[in-house]
Amino acid sequence: MTLPKTSEWPRWVIGLWLVILIGSAVAVVCSGVAAGLRNQRPAIALQFAPGDARALSRMADTSLLVEDGQLRDPSEPRRYARAALARDATLPASWRVLGLTAPDGSALSVELLETAERLSRRDAPTQLALIEFAVGRGDILGALGHYDILLRISSAYDAVLFPVLVGASTEPQIRQVLGQQLLRAPMWRRRFLAYMVNAATPYPVQADLFSAIAKGGKAFPDSDIVASQATNSALGGNYVIARHLYGLVAPGEVTQRLRNGGFDKDGGVPPFDWQYDSDGALTVAVASFGPGRRLEIISERGDGARAARQLLFLTPGRYRLAAQVGAIEGEPAGRPYMTMTCADAGTPLLTVDTQPKARRVAGMVSVPNGCAVQWLELGMRQDPNGARAAAWVDGVAIDRVGD
């Protein structure tokens, strides 16, 4: 069959084709306009495309807004949601709207919200609604599961969710479940730990959560955060918590009487490892000397001050504190000293004053009951004439004497 040439078509056929082409073009334009407006101006989008499923779903969502703490009449959002789902059953927002407008706490409400979640785990309002339902029925693990999803979606939710998690973690039961979740190393764990230590969270809560993360007594990837908090708690006088945290990041070191007595290791966690002072009165440096290293202390104006200190956890008993001291070649001699005090009460236990003549110095000290934590301090005595002074200290050691 051969079609006639278009020049031979009746005018009404040509007119019909023109109407169809124009109608199609208008439909395409309207659809494009609706697509551009459906998120921000869904009502206008529906004027161009009354059957646009996504615009209907957006209308369902926006018509559910809260006024004075109360939800609007649910009939309108439900009508939009049903109209949207009749055209596209894969729209999570519409299922969520139906779930939120169902009877509070009903099985149907939860079922509809779970349908929305299956369609898109990234729908944040659905996750927030499911958190509320989980909390309402005492499902801590379920609620934290939805927290996890939200925090994976975007770090923008940190500011909203982290304060709630920190506040809830003061409850031992919630803290235990949260610790189990943190142990699995979710992608937001480091962000949460950093927030927690900066939010004045009680030290026992922090210690419990850090302990939950530690695996078999070994250090874990976020050990720098724990180490920083161990330092802060020690300097703040929270010695029991400080020792516990230090034990998490350095389990092999916490039981040592003294750490790095030869000044040969870099890093560490002060003040459990050496905390060096250089406040202007003294110049303090760890310098290479021969096969090892030593602590060098220089006082430009003969000032006396502390050069270094370390927090100790010696059990009651008698100990021998010893060190090697000497003069730095080419420098005027100084007078280094060592002291040990009870950390809690500040009670002096031992003072060893020395003259730097390249000799071993030592002193005996008794640690009494009730003195579970001690400060060991190394420093330089003031020069009577205010003259420049220098000395070095090395080989610091503490040995127990007798039982």
Side-chain angles (χ1 to χ4, degrees):
M1 177 179 178
T2 303
L3 293 175
K5 297 179 181 180
T6 55
S7 59
E8 299 176 358
W9 287 5
R11 291 184 178 181
W12 68 270
V13 174
I14 296 174
L16 178 61
W17 276 106
L18 288 174
V19 169
I20 293 173
L21 289 173
I22 294 172
S24 298
V26 170
V28 169
V29 171
C30 289
S31 178
V33 172
L37 294 172
R38 61 167 67 113
N39 287 327
Q40 300 300 325
R41 298 286 188 272
I44 299 176
L46 289 174
Q47 293 179 12
F48 287 92
D52 188 283
R54 294 185 179 276
L56 288 167
S57 182
R58 182 61 179 157
M59 279 297 295
D61 212 1
T62 57
S63 62
L64 197 64
L65 293 177
V66 174
E67 287 186 345
D68 299 327
Q70 300 294 323
L71 290 177
R72 287 180 174 173
D73 181 355
S75 59
E76 183 180 9
R78 289 179 66 84
R79 177 170 57 83
Y80 281 119
R82 286 170 175 159
L85 293 174
R87 292 164 174 80
D88 185 349
T90 66
L91 299 172
S94 294
W95 289 105
R96 167 169 44 80
V97 168
L98 293 180
L100 291 174
T101 56
D104 290 341
S106 68
L108 175 60
S109 179
V110 174
E111 181 181 349
L112 291 167
L113 288 170
E114 289 176 345
T115 299
E117 184 189 30
R118 283 193 296 271
L119 290 169
S120 174
R121 288 164 60 89
R122 298 181 63 83
D123 187 63
T126 297
Q127 297 298 336
L128 289 169
L130 288 171
I131 287 174
E132 184 176 354
F133 278 111
V135 171
R137 62 177 180 264
D139 182 7
I140 300 171
L141 186 59
L144 289 178
H146 297 299
Y147 269 93
D148 177 52
I149 294 171
L150 277 173
L151 292 170
R152 289 174 186 271
I153 291 173
S154 172
S155 60
Y157 295 106
D158 293 2
V160 176
L161 300 181
F162 282 171
V164 180
L165 280 179
V166 167
S169 65
T170 58
E171 294 292 332
Q173 184 181 6
I174 295 177
R175 187 159 67 246
Q176 180 182 10
V177 179
L178 177 58
Q180 294 171 357
Q181 188 162 30
L182 293 173
L183 177 60
R184 294 192 288 270
M187 62 185 299
W188 48 270
R189 184 176 77 180
R190 183 174 181 82
R191 306 198 312 263
F192 173 73
L193 295 179
Y195 175 87
M196 180 183 70
V197 300
N198 290 317
T201 308
Y203 283 122
V205 172
Q206 295 185 35
D208 281 354
L209 291 176
F210 286 136
S211 297
I213 299 170
K215 300 178 181 179
K218 299 179 182 179
F220 45 89
D222 302 303
S223 58
D224 59 319
I225 296 178
V226 185
S228 175
Q229 196 61 354
T231 298
N232 292 339
S233 56
L235 298 180
N238 297 286
Y239 300 122
V240 174
I241 296 294
R243 184 182 186 187
H244 175 73
L245 296 178
Y246 179 62
L248 295 179
V249 296
E253 299 291 328
V254 70
T255 57
Q256 301 297 315
R257 296 193 189 104
L258 180 76
R259 291 158 288 280
N260 196 21
F263 305 98
D264 296 319
K265 299 178 182 178
D266 291 319
V269 183
F272 310 94
D273 298 278
W274 292 113
Q275 179 185 27
Y276 301 107
D277 292 277
S278 187
D279 60 0
L282 302 177
T283 300
V284 181
V286 176
S288 298
F289 184 79
R293 300 196 297 182
R294 65 189 185 183
L295 179 68
E296 295 186 350
I297 310 169
I298 299 175
S299 176
E300 296 290 348
R301 300 181 301 275
D303 296 324
R306 182 179 71 205
R309 66 174 179 170
Q310 187 174 131
L311 195 64
L312 309 177
F313 299 95
L314 303 176
T315 57
R318 286 178 55 78
Y319 297 87
R320 181 176 183 269
L321 171 64
Q324 191 79 18
V325 299
I328 299 175
E329 185 177 356
E331 296 281 359
R335 297 187 300 157
Y337 70 85
M338 299 187 295
T339 64
M340 188 183 296
T341 60
C342 284
D344 287 319
T347 307
L349 298 176
L350 173 69
T351 297
V352 179
D353 280 297
T354 70
Q355 294 293 335
K357 298 178 181 179
R359 62 187 179 90
R360 193 75 171 168
V361 297
M364 301 298 296
V365 59
S366 293
V367 176
N369 292 321
C371 180
V373 187
Q374 308 85 32
W375 282 110
L376 172 64
E377 181 178 307
L378 310 178
M380 182 81 85
R381 295 298 184 196
Q382 184 176 12
D383 184 88
N385 301 315
R388 176 183 170 89
W392 57 262
V393 181
D394 197 6
V396 183
I398 298 176
D399 297 307
R400 192 176 179 100
V401 179
D403 295 330

